Every structure is written in C-alpha cells, then in structure tokens.
Amino acid sequence: MRLVLTVLATCAALPAAAEEAPFCGGISLVGSWVGGASETSDLTGADQLVDLAARVPIAGHAVHLFSLSEPGTVRADIRAVPDGDPYAAIYDETGNEVASDDDSGGDLGARIVADLPAGTYCLASRSYETSILDVSVLLGPADLFEYGDLLPPTRVVAPETGGCGADDVALFSETPVDAATLETPIAMTAPAAAQPALQFALAQEDLAMTITAVSETGDPLIRLRGPSGEILEENDDFDGLNARIDLRDPPGLGVYCVEVEDLDDGGTPITVTLGAFDPVAERLRRLARMDFAPGPDDPVQPEHLGELQTELVATAPSSQDAIWFTMDLPQGGLMVLEAVATDADPELRIFDRAGREVAHGDDSFGSFDSFVAYRAAPGRYTIGVRARGDDPSGEIRLLAERFVPAQ
C-alpha cells in the first residue's frame, strides 16, 4: 500500500497554506501550495502521492500549485465527493493551459497525465454543477499511481510540437509499436495548434491499427502519412464531428505520422488515440449503426415479430445502438413502416433475406419520425431501429402495415 500525504484546501475557508497573489499568469488570485509552501511542493522525485480535499465554488475553481525541478510525468485524478462532474486543467506559470480533461477517470471523474518540463504549475479544478462541489484530488508522479480499473492514461504533451518531418514532432511512443504495445491504446491530448502531428514507428508487419481523434467542442480531421510521406488515409466526421481511421493493411515497417487539424479553429483539446484494430468490436460498432443486418453468427440477434398479414406493432428503447426485428411477408404487397418517438429522433432501415438494404427512413414529413413505403416480395425482412443524436430517451414505436392491390 502506498503512503499518501493529505492536505485540506477549500475556497470558502482558506487554510494557512493558501496565498493571495496572481498565480499562473493571473488565472487566480487565490491558491494553495500542495506541500504547504513553494519550497516543499516540488513533485520531482516524490515518493508519496498528495491527497487534496477542495471545495469548488459556483462558477469558480480551486487552484493548487506545484513545481517540478526536472521534467517529468505528472498525474492528477479529480473526483467529486460524493458525486458530481468535475473538470480539471493544468496551467504553466505564464497562464497557458498545457493539459485538461473531463470524464477520463471514470464515473465523471477527471484525469490528467501530462509530460511537463521543469517549472511552476497550477492545477485548477472546476465544476459543471450549479452548486458548490466538493472534490478529492490525487496528485503526484505518474509512476506512483496504480491504475487498477481506471481507463488507459491520457498522455498530454505540454510544450508546442512540430508537424510531420520536424525534429520536435510529438511521439505516440518512444519505442517502436507492436501488438503488445497497443494492447492498451495510447492517447494524447492537446489542441491541434500545439500538437499538429503525432509520429510512431511500426515494428510489426501486418499490424492493423485504429486511430481516432475526439473533441468535445472541436471538429478534428486526421491524415495518416506512410513511411515515404505519402497520404494513406484521411478522415473527418466519422462519428459526429469526430474522426477515425482504420488501417487494416499497413504498407510495411517504418515511421508513420498522423497530422491533426481542427476545422473549427477553436483551439480546444483533441484526444488522438492509437490502438490495435479489433475486427469483432468493429463489426459490433457497425451493427449498432445499422451499416448491415446481423448474420446468424453475430451475438446481436433480432426479435421475430411473426407474419405481417395486415399490421404489427413493436416498441424498442430509444438507443443510439440499433434494435433489430424480423418479420415475414406471406405474400407480396406494399409494406409501410413508421418509427415514432416523442423524445428521440428515430431512424429505420429494412434489409431483405439476402442482407441487402432495400429501404431507409429518417425525418419524414417535416418531423423527426421515420416513414418508409416499399413494394416488397414475399419473404423474411430484417428491420433495424435506432435513435440519432445525443441522449435519447423514452421509447420508439414501430408500426408495420401491408397493403395489397384491390381486387
């Protein structure tokens, strides 16, 4: 068990360690040295973690100061007590934000793992809540942490780095990557202006990889260049505004470089992750998006609704992942399907027995509901329904009707 140094600091009642002065370029006039004073707050070579308790005021932040006498990797875990949604950022002594995070620590907790040069820094804890938030902050050299069930660490490059081909380009890894390296995805976070490229050397042939770029408010674009500088792939808006490249068949060993752009020009952090391509997870992800209908060997199996003689009705939870149904048409006719919801934006797709998509419906007749009319032959059809957009709620009702020509 590791020893932990505990310090209490609140913004409502300041302890003796708190000082009033412009800190980190003026981001705050009030802050507390994590060790009680500047000379005892150097994290370089520390053998204990610092455990801080802080109170974040409404529309404010709790600031803790620390220093590094040598470059090092620092980690901070910020969790609400007993619950809430904290946000954290690290600023250098001039007031530049060099690292930030929200929700990477699990259970809405924030986690930062940053490679920092020597200097003085401010760790600012903020809140998305509309009331005062109590937080716990665990801070220290990254190698003192035992990650346990936490998500893979997000590594943040603090200083600005160069683009592809530059001597100071940021590196995903100091050593060439192989399958073992990518068992835990490598994630790095910074604005595109500060980190326009990320480089890695491939040490294993035929290693399929996935590269993603995610930002809460930005619009990331990523471009992958091969060992000869050629553009292999480029992607924008793969999932919402986020980008993704699946490199299933890399051209060979050598140095690869990922160029990162923010089309929103907002200067917001973008998390770029390099990991092993998982074909099973990729198929499930595409099934969830209704790119194709599930097959007999897929873990996702449709609910069979029976024969569509005249009318069938089913309900499904409003989910961004597809819910699947099958139905049989004993005779041909006009098949009409509607997906209706009050608190979601439903989308539906119809696939025939050969797995071909034959109809798609979304936002019909000026509403968010979906309507499809398809002249169908007899046979079994698979219907996928899902909710588009963020945070869907309620249920989606599926109505299927069959019409035949009048005799």
Side-chain angles (χ1 to χ4, degrees):
M1 178 179 296
R2 298 193 184 277
L3 296 176
V4 177
L5 175 65
T6 302
V7 179
L8 173 66
T10 72
C11 290
L14 296 172
E19 299 181 11
E20 293 191 13
F23 294 113
C24 294
I27 68 160
S28 178
L29 294 177
V30 180
S32 301
W33 287 98
V34 297
S38 59
E39 58 271 17
T40 55
S41 298
D42 185 357
L43 299 184
T44 299
D47 59 2
Q48 299 179 6
L49 297 176
V50 182
D51 189 6
L52 307 167
R55 175 159 292 175
V56 181
I58 300 172
H61 51 214
V63 176
H64 300 97
L65 292 91
F66 66 93
S67 62
L68 293 173
S69 55
E70 298 178 6
T73 303
V74 173
R75 172 172 164 173
D77 283 4
I78 298 90
R79 295 180 180 274
V81 179
D83 54 51
D85 187 4
Y87 169 87
I90 294 177
Y91 297 86
D92 65 17
E93 51 195 319
T94 64
N96 291 319
E97 182 182 294
V98 296
S100 63
D101 184 72
D102 176 38
D103 297 347
S104 291
D107 295 328
L108 298 181
R111 187 193 68 247
I112 296 173
V113 179
D115 295 325
L116 301 176
T120 300
Y121 296 93
C122 291
L123 172 64
S125 302
R126 297 184 175 87
S127 171
Y128 287 121
E129 306 297 325
T130 57
S131 59
I132 294 174
L133 180 69
D134 291 322
V135 296
S136 67
V137 180
L138 201 60
L139 174 68
D143 57 5
L144 294 184
F145 284 78
E146 296 175 357
Y147 288 100
D149 296 331
L150 293 177
L151 301 176
T154 299
R155 300 187 62 81
V156 182
V157 176
E160 292 190 1
T161 54
C164 290
D167 293 337
D168 60 344
V169 63
L171 302 177
F172 270 116
S173 173
E174 298 286 346
T175 59
V177 301
D178 54 17
T181 308
L182 297 185
E183 284 182 0
T184 299
I186 305 170
M188 302 188 63
T189 301
Q195 184 177 274
L198 288 157
Q199 183 174 288
F200 64 94
L202 186 61
Q204 178 180 333
E205 293 185 346
D206 303 325
L207 177 61
M209 296 168 287
T210 294
I211 303 164
T212 60
V214 177
S215 177
E216 289 191 3
T217 58
D219 183 4
L221 177 147
I222 51 177
R223 184 181 303 109
L224 178 63
R225 293 187 178 273
S228 300
E230 73 280 18
I231 296 176
L232 300 177
E233 299 278 352
E234 181 178 304
N235 184 260
D236 173 39
D237 298 349
F238 179 89
D239 182 11
L241 294 180
N242 297 320
R244 176 184 175 119
I245 291 175
D246 290 317
L247 189 64
R248 296 176 173 85
D249 187 20
L253 304 180
V255 175
Y256 292 75
C257 190
V258 182
E259 294 178 333
V260 185
E261 298 179 19
D262 187 353
L263 301 183
D264 200 32
D265 275 339
T268 55
I270 295 174
T271 297
V272 184
T273 303
L274 172 67
F277 175 73
D278 186 341
V280 175
E282 171 67 2
R283 182 171 179 85
L284 290 175
R285 186 192 61 78
R286 295 188 64 191
L287 279 171
R289 294 196 337 175
M290 302 190 301
D291 288 349
F292 45 76
D297 297 329
D298 284 313
V300 178
Q301 289 300 306
E303 176 187 349
H304 186 56
L305 301 179
E307 286 192 347
L308 177 58
Q309 295 287 352
T310 55
E311 178 181 293
L312 287 172
V313 177
T315 58
S318 294
S319 170
Q320 292 177 320
D321 294 343
I323 307 296
W324 294 95
F325 302 95
T326 57
M327 61 181 66
D328 295 326
L329 260 67
Q331 297 177 336
L334 183 67
M335 182 167 58
V336 175
L337 275 81
E338 294 181 77
V340 180
T342 56
D343 298 309
D345 179 5
E347 175 190 18
L348 64 86
R349 295 182 188 270
I350 304 174
F351 299 83
D352 65 14
R353 60 183 179 181
R356 294 171 297 213
E357 182 181 322
V358 295
H360 169 240
D362 184 31
D363 296 352
S364 303
F365 306 121
S367 73
F368 287 122
D369 297 332
S370 298
F371 177 91
V372 167
Y374 171 66
R375 190 180 299 277
R380 174 161 293 190
Y381 290 85
T382 302
I383 296 94
V385 181
R386 76 178 189 114
R388 298 175 62 89
D390 297 328
D391 300 322
S393 60
E395 291 184 332
I396 298 175
R397 174 162 292 189
L398 177 67
L399 171 64
E401 299 175 288
R402 184 175 70 92
F403 297 90
V404 297
Q407 300 295 325

